[in-house]
Amino acid sequence: MARRSKIDAEKTRSKLIETAARLFEARGYADTSITDICAELNMTKGALFHHFRSKEELFREVWTNLQVEMDNQAREAAIAARNLTDPYAAFLAGCRTYLEYTTRRDYQQIVLVDGPSVLNMSGWYESDHDLGNQNVKAGVRYLSKKGFVEPENVDALAIMLQSSLNGAGFALARNTPGLTTERVYAAFEVLVKSLR
Amino acid sequence: MARRSKIDAEKTRSKLIETAARLFEARGYADTSITDICAELNMTKGALFHHFRSKEELFREVWTNLQVEMDNQAREAAIAARNLTDPYAAFLAGCRTYLEYTTRRDYQQIVLVDGPSVLNMSGWYESDHDLGNQNVKAGVRYLSKKGFVEPENVDALAIMLQSSLNGAGFALARNTPGLTTERVYAAFEVLVKSLR
DNA sequence: GAGTTTACATACCACCGGTATGTTAATCGT
DNA sequence: ACGATTAACATACCGGTGGTATGTAAACTC
């Protein structure tokens, strides 16, 4: 047992990420040991540490994958919903997709719960990392151009609206009595469309 | 050496909590070892584990203290600001106090960052634990009675508004360019007062 | 004032993330 | 085509961690 071809290596690497994602989601970062991940793949720690410098780097990889996937989906939804007569349409469609992600168990545990704690929180909101915030801000900026939002409130509102979806996702996940995705989305729409 | 009186024991217990809070704030939960905390107090692990069943329980104590303190302050501020001619006054005052907490380093690290990850995330938003949410919901319900919010949107809006303050606090902490507490608060006021 | 309990200290343990070092096969320079 | 290099792992080990089992002496109880 020793060196395998490049494509095999790439395969083990992605299997490592895949398995790590599954365990991080199920048990959380702290309660998932590197030994656990390797055991699941009949692999040794040496292999893992060959592909990733640290447990944190492996986590960051998992985290990034999820963020990029979410970003693509949200952007796609926004573009598809674009509507010349309704300035809110694209923005709301993107936010709705984001809301659906915030209700997903993997997104919650990995991105929303463990993310800020594992990656240092300064890095967490760094512009080039937080794809969600970039998109929300772009949307709010557009609303501002259309006259619905004061320009000086764009940054603050973008963060607040995004965070509101994070919190709502959590609430939905633990099925808070009287809350459904539809109801939350309706409330969010009210929130956004009320803006002046 | 050996046993001290009851009041001495109570003192060591609170010193433990105090020191733990300081270190958890400065280094985060994961990077603060029990040995570190004890060393700071010239104490052994045996003592700590006599007072707390686990590191997590010690953390929960610290977390609860902060939450209760915040709750008291916010409620106090809301009551003090009560104003018969302005239905928003009390609610906004409470939210403003909450916002100030979310910008505090200890509140961020302990309650917002480590809290959800260390305590299980279901516990984090559990109604009887989350004092903040109870207060926000009461405020939104009041606004609903006054006709500013549809009753079916109360629960969703309460969670969203509270979460928006959490996110804003984070953003303020890493002094995002162009964001100040005043600006965030102003934007939040717009958000709330726009509601219809 | 003997017996129990409390408030710690000491000693130890399994496990964890990480490193140093092997080992073997794929790849590359010539 | 073949020796040197390097990539892809495995093995063995390390300091530190949260947690436990046990010891001990002073404070309480009756």
Side-chain angles (χ1 to χ4, degrees):
Chain A
M1 13 208 94
R3 192 183 194 198
R4 316 230 238 262
S5 75
K6 250 181 191 170
I7 61 158
D8 279 353
E10 201 55 43
K11 210 169 174 181
T12 44
R13 192 187 142 86
S14 60
K15 275 208 289 188
L16 246 357
I17 295 181
E18 218 173 276
T19 306
R22 237 184 40 241
L23 295 189
F24 285 156
E25 171 188 344
R27 314 178 192 172
Y29 179 81
D31 292 341
T32 303
S33 78
I34 282 182
T35 313
D36 288 344
I37 298 172
C38 294
E40 197 110 342
L41 290 167
N42 278 84
M43 201 167 279
T44 59
K45 290 199 288 176
L48 193 150
F49 278 103
H50 172 69
H51 287 285
F52 307 94
R53 254 170 299 182
S54 64
K55 187 186 178 188
E56 185 186 318
E57 191 181 290
L58 172 58
F59 176 82
R60 183 173 252 114
E61 206 90 11
V62 171
W63 183 86
T64 303
N65 279 357
L66 250 177
Q67 286 286 69
V68 168
E69 181 200 322
M70 179 277 290
D71 182 55
N72 287 336
Q73 296 271 117
R75 187 170 303 187
E76 202 176 292
I79 290 174
R82 217 181 245 158
N83 183 333
L84 290 175
T85 68
D86 180 4
Y88 295 105
F91 179 64
L92 286 174
C95 286
R96 190 190 170 109
T97 299
Y98 184 70
L99 176 63
E100 268 148 24
Y101 267 84
T102 67
T103 66
R104 275 171 48 171
R105 167 143 183 98
D106 56 347
Y107 196 82
Q108 280 177 24
Q109 187 65 46
I110 293 167
V111 176
L112 299 178
V113 174
D114 284 333
S117 139
V118 174
L119 320 172
N120 57 17
M121 65 178 174
S122 56
W124 164 237
Y125 269 114
E126 249 162 41
S127 52
D128 51 332
H129 284 126
D130 194 349
L131 300 164
N133 186 254
Q134 280 179 273
N135 288 336
V136 175
K137 196 182 289 183
V140 176
R141 198 174 287 126
Y142 177 78
L143 290 181
S144 173
K145 247 179 214 157
K146 292 283 174 179
F148 297 104
V149 167
E150 298 285 340
E152 70 242 25
N153 285 338
V154 166
D155 289 347
L157 281 174
I159 288 193
M160 294 175 106
L161 289 176
Q162 185 197 2
S163 307
S164 74
L165 294 175
N166 291 344
F170 273 100
L172 285 171
R174 41 170 284 278
N175 40 16
T176 309
L179 273 194
T180 64
T181 305
E182 289 315 313
R183 206 164 266 318
V184 165
Y185 179 71
F188 183 75
E189 200 172 314
V190 166
L191 201 61
V192 170
K193 289 196 171 170
S194 300
L195 278 174
R196 50 163 169 78
Chain B
M1 304 279 139
R3 194 186 194 197
R4 315 231 239 262
S5 76
K6 248 181 192 170
I7 61 159
D8 278 352
E10 200 55 44
K11 211 170 174 179
T12 41
R13 192 187 142 86
S14 59
K15 275 208 289 187
L16 246 359
I17 295 181
E18 220 173 275
T19 306
R22 238 183 40 240
L23 296 189
F24 286 156
E25 170 189 343
R27 314 177 193 170
Y29 180 81
D31 292 343
T32 303
S33 78
I34 281 183
T35 313
D36 288 343
I37 298 172
C38 294
E40 198 111 341
L41 290 167
N42 279 84
M43 202 168 277
T44 59
K45 290 199 288 177
L48 192 148
F49 278 102
H50 170 69
H51 287 284
F52 307 94
R53 255 170 298 181
S54 64
K55 188 187 176 188
E56 184 185 318
E57 190 180 292
L58 172 56
F59 176 83
R60 183 174 252 112
E61 205 90 10
V62 171
W63 183 87
T64 303
N65 279 356
L66 251 177
Q67 287 286 70
V68 168
E69 182 200 321
M70 180 276 290
D71 182 54
N72 287 337
Q73 296 271 118
R75 186 171 303 186
E76 204 175 290
I79 291 173
R82 219 181 243 158
N83 184 332
L84 290 176
T85 67
D86 179 4
Y88 295 106
F91 179 66
L92 285 174
C95 287
R96 179 170 189 126
T97 299
Y98 183 69
L99 178 63
E100 268 149 23
Y101 266 84
T102 67
T103 67
R104 275 171 47 171
R105 163 134 189 105
D106 56 347
Y107 196 81
Q108 281 173 24
Q109 187 66 47
I110 294 168
V111 177
L112 300 178
V113 175
D114 284 334
S117 137
V118 174
L119 321 171
N120 57 15
M121 64 177 173
S122 56
W124 163 231
Y125 273 109
E126 245 162 42
S127 54
D128 50 333
H129 285 127
D130 194 351
L131 300 162
N133 185 254
Q134 282 179 271
N135 288 334
V136 175
K137 196 183 289 183
V140 176
R141 198 174 287 126
Y142 178 77
L143 290 180
S144 172
K145 248 179 212 154
K146 291 285 174 176
F148 298 104
V149 167
E150 299 285 342
E152 71 242 25
N153 285 337
V154 166
D155 289 346
L157 281 174
I159 286 194
M160 294 175 105
L161 288 176
Q162 186 198 1
S163 307
S164 74
L165 293 176
N166 289 343
F170 256 96
L172 284 170
R174 42 166 281 278
N175 39 17
T176 309
L179 271 195
T180 64
T181 306
E182 288 316 312
R183 205 163 269 316
V184 166
Y185 179 72
F188 183 76
E189 202 172 313
V190 166
L191 202 61
V192 170
K193 290 196 170 173
S194 301
L195 279 173
R196 51 168 169 75

